[in-house]
Amino acid sequence: MTKKISIIGSGFAALSAACYLAKSGHNVTIFEKNETIGGRARQFKREGFTFDIGPSWYWMPDVFERFFADFNTTPEAYYSLEKLNPAYSVYFGKDDFITIEDTLEKIYKAFEAEEPGSSKKLVKFIANAQDNYNVAIKDLVYRPGLSPLELVTPVTIKKINQFFGTIKKDVRKEFKNNRLAMILEFPVLFLGAKPGNTPSFYSFMNYADFGIGTFHPKKGMYQVILAMESLAKSLGVIIETEKPIDKIIVSNGKTEAIVSKGMTYPSDIVLSGADYHHTETLLEPQYRQYSESYWEGKTFAPSSLLFYIGFDKKIKNVNHHTLFFDVDFEAHAKDIYDEPKWPDNPLFYANFPSITDDSAAPAGKEAGFFLIPLAPGLEDTEALRATYFDKIMTRFENLTSQDVRKSIIFKESFCVNDFIKDYNSYKGNAYGMANTLLQTAFLRPNLKSKKLSNLYFTGQLTVPGPGVPPALISGKLVADLINKHHKN
């Protein structure tokens, strides 16, 4: 039976859910608070430069293919993908870096050159990671997190130890070279937790990295958002921008309508792809599932300080994706997760899309995107942003042996306050809730409200977790749940 469904937000999860629900015959309207759609995956343009504001890594292309296949189409029908070679490089000191290329064979050689004998260990490690990938990404993550029994399969019973070991223990046991260990620990940072708190099973991220590779959509990640918008509209989805939601109206144990700018929009079902904590504040307290102390006690993925920079020349000695691990990882991780504060010496990441993609910057110029992971909830001031810009630029110039500050045309920053203002993000987090053992699957906030029969949630604070591919999956899971519960 056709339902009138209102979706709050227009990020990857919300757009995914909208497509599936419209395909099932429902009348779907998306309400987006900002001027443009995409949530954290919006785009910023200035003086001929184009930046993806948020996600910049295209991993797990099979998940995107599976999404579009559900609508009898392909990613290629909407955007073109390029596999990056090299995928990325990692700096450990001045002119001292390791480059990760585009095939396992090349990566094995890079490991062997760094530490004789390590390639054999890596072959074994990646084989297990691939096995985990096949179990997780092709099966487990497509389960709605309703019961612990979802995790119990003949395969996972055999892998039970991998839910109680950690990535860090596994990596450090086999790889004594700290540089190689850090490269293997890096992918799980996308899951929002320290390698020492991330279950061994999540090594499937290493297979996503080394085994499948890193891709770039021509014209940037925002092309995926535009593709999903086009698909959604072709299915009949209505998208309303500049429509922040002020309140969710409840009557007789059900959501009845949403309110935006004084206008009331009756709804048979309300689905929020916006921040979970914020969405519950739109309800009267008695209809909220989770208390403030619940959210306070959860491990959140980091926030970020981001800089978008237009350079008037090409930048040397970097790749499209370049990581800077020249400082103590443990000290920075402690400042994010254990004793939250602004880090003394942060690791950082730099992305230069114009190396791959001419559309990202005018000819002869470079678009640079710099990211420092931070604890959510920190004080955020212009003075602090300026201090950290100087810190990373000084290191960047030293490590890559070049002067770039004099070549800056403009720079824009984005940090904790902006995540709160633009996305109503809890404490200004950038990636959602971390995937630790106690925050996996059924232990995450529910897709379906326990208090209101027709209120649902999707996105990075619920199942399956942070990241773009999980967001696409989250949209499918919640749409399936809605269709199951509202057949009549």
Side-chain angles (χ1 to χ4, degrees):
M1 185 176 168
T2 298
K3 301 288 183 184
K4 190 175 181 60
I5 300 177
S6 294
I7 298 181
I8 304 171
S10 65
F12 280 109
L15 286 170
S16 170
C19 290
Y20 284 109
L21 290 167
K23 183 187 172 192
S24 299
H26 300 296
N27 294 327
V28 180
T29 302
I30 287 173
F31 295 84
E32 167 55 53
K33 75 182 282 290
N34 294 312
E35 290 177 23
T36 56
I37 66 163
R40 285 165 167 79
R42 291 179 303 151
Q43 199 174 54
F44 163 58
K45 292 187 176 188
R46 180 169 167 183
E47 296 176 41
F49 293 82
T50 302
F51 302 87
D52 285 312
I53 289 180
S56 59
W57 294 75
Y58 192 105
W59 273 9
M60 304 184 187
D62 48 317
V63 175
F64 295 83
E65 287 162 12
R66 186 164 169 177
F67 169 78
F68 284 104
D70 284 341
F71 302 92
N72 300 312
T73 186
T74 63
E76 292 75 26
Y78 297 93
Y79 54 89
S80 58
L81 274 185
E82 180 176 345
K83 188 173 187 181
L84 296 182
N85 185 33
Y88 56 91
S89 52
V90 185
Y91 270 88
F92 295 99
K94 184 175 173 62
D95 302 321
D96 175 18
F97 55 87
I98 293 175
T99 297
I100 300 300
E101 294 189 74
D102 61 340
T103 67
L104 276 170
E105 288 66 32
K106 293 175 188 173
I107 296 167
Y108 294 146
K109 281 182 183 172
F111 267 59
E112 194 64 25
E114 178 70 19
E115 180 185 16
S118 63
S119 63
K120 289 181 182 172
K121 293 176 180 176
L122 185 59
V123 169
K124 188 177 172 186
F125 185 84
I126 293 297
N128 180 64
Q130 181 175 5
D131 196 32
N132 287 348
Y133 189 91
N134 290 334
V135 173
I137 304 304
K138 295 178 181 175
D139 181 17
L140 290 187
V141 293
Y142 285 90
R143 301 183 182 205
L146 301 176
S147 159
L149 295 177
E150 289 174 9
L151 297 179
V152 181
T153 70
V155 178
T156 57
I157 287 170
K158 290 178 188 171
K159 292 178 172 286
I160 191 69
N161 291 338
Q162 292 195 43
F163 286 93
F164 297 100
T166 70
I167 291 289
K168 182 172 183 175
K169 274 186 185 169
D170 293 352
V171 167
R172 299 283 168 171
K173 181 180 166 191
E174 295 296 333
F175 299 90
K176 304 307 176 192
N177 180 297
N178 187 52
R179 292 146 61 102
L180 297 182
M182 286 175 77
I183 289 172
L184 286 168
E185 289 169 352
F186 144 70
V188 301
L189 298 179
F190 286 117
L191 302 171
K194 289 196 293 187
N197 288 336
T198 303
S200 303
F201 184 69
Y202 284 102
S203 69
F204 63 73
M205 293 294 288
N206 293 105
Y207 180 69
D209 178 4
F210 288 1
I212 302 175
T214 303
F215 295 78
H216 173 73
K218 180 75 174 163
K219 297 187 180 178
M221 287 289 285
Y222 198 63
Q223 295 307 303
V224 188
I225 290 290
L226 295 177
M228 295 176 76
E229 176 190 33
S230 176
L231 176 60
K233 286 182 173 177
S234 75
L235 293 163
V237 175
I238 295 166
I239 299 176
E240 303 269 8
T241 54
E242 297 184 84
K243 288 284 177 73
I245 305 305
D246 306 312
K247 187 179 181 184
I248 299 173
I249 297 173
V250 174
S251 177
N252 300 319
K254 284 183 165 185
T255 60
E256 196 171 73
I258 56 174
V259 179
S260 174
K261 294 183 171 178
M263 293 282 291
T264 299
Y265 299 88
S267 314
D268 297 319
I269 293 165
V270 174
L271 165 60
S272 180
D275 180 272
Y276 205 125
H277 170 268
H278 168 73
T279 304
E280 291 220 313
T281 68
L282 303 176
L283 296 161
E284 298 292 334
Q286 66 267 33
Y287 301 121
R288 298 171 194 170
Q289 304 169 84
Y290 303 108
S291 65
E292 287 300 317
S293 60
Y294 170 89
W295 296 110
E296 281 288 337
K298 292 300 172 186
T299 301
F300 274 79
S303 185
S304 299
L305 170 55
L306 300 147
F307 295 102
Y308 310 98
I309 305 171
F311 295 98
D312 69 6
K313 67 176 184 181
K314 301 304 281 184
I315 305 299
K316 299 182 297 184
N317 305 326
V318 291
N319 288 312
H320 184 126
H321 297 293
T322 308
L323 304 162
F324 294 85
F325 284 6
D326 55 305
V327 297
D328 185 352
F329 174 86
E330 286 299 324
H332 188 175
K334 185 179 178 185
D335 292 340
I336 295 174
Y337 297 103
D338 303 331
E339 297 167 22
K341 69 181 182 70
W342 281 83
D344 293 328
N345 291 300
L347 285 77
F348 66 98
Y349 153 64
N351 170 17
F352 301 94
S354 43
I355 289 175
T356 304
D357 192 337
D358 291 343
S359 71
K365 300 178 181 180
E366 202 88 89
F369 163 119
F370 291 74
L371 181 154
I372 303 171
L374 298 172
L378 294 182
E379 177 191 22
D380 171 17
T381 65
E382 287 302 321
L384 280 164
R385 295 186 190 196
T387 296
Y388 279 81
F389 181 74
D390 285 339
K391 276 187 190 237
I392 64 169
M393 278 299 132
T394 298
R395 277 174 42 211
F396 180 81
E397 289 181 323
N398 176 54
L399 293 165
T400 64
S401 299
Q402 64 191 315
D403 179 5
V404 300
R405 268 186 268 210
K406 289 185 293 190
S407 298
I408 293 174
I409 303 168
F410 66 84
K411 81 171 194 297
E412 296 279 350
S413 63
F414 197 96
C415 197
V416 173
N417 293 346
D418 300 298
F419 280 102
I420 294 169
K421 177 175 70 74
D422 285 5
Y423 311 127
N424 294 308
S425 169
Y426 181 72
K427 291 189 175 181
N429 79 80
Y431 305 106
M433 192 184 285
N435 262 337
T436 60
L437 178 61
L438 296 177
Q439 293 180 180
T440 291
F442 66 96
L443 296 172
R444 297 179 70 79
N446 295 319
L447 290 166
K448 183 182 185 303
S449 170
K450 293 179 284 189
K451 296 201 171 182
L452 299 167
S453 63
N454 60 343
L455 175 62
Y456 295 81
F457 300 85
T458 189
Q460 56 191 7
L461 290 186
T462 182
V463 181
V468 176
L472 294 180
I473 294 165
S474 187
K476 176 178 171 62
L477 293 177
V478 77
D480 289 347
L481 215 53
I482 288 170
N483 284 329
K484 181 181 170 188
H485 289 151
H486 300 275
K487 285 177 183 173
N488 300 317

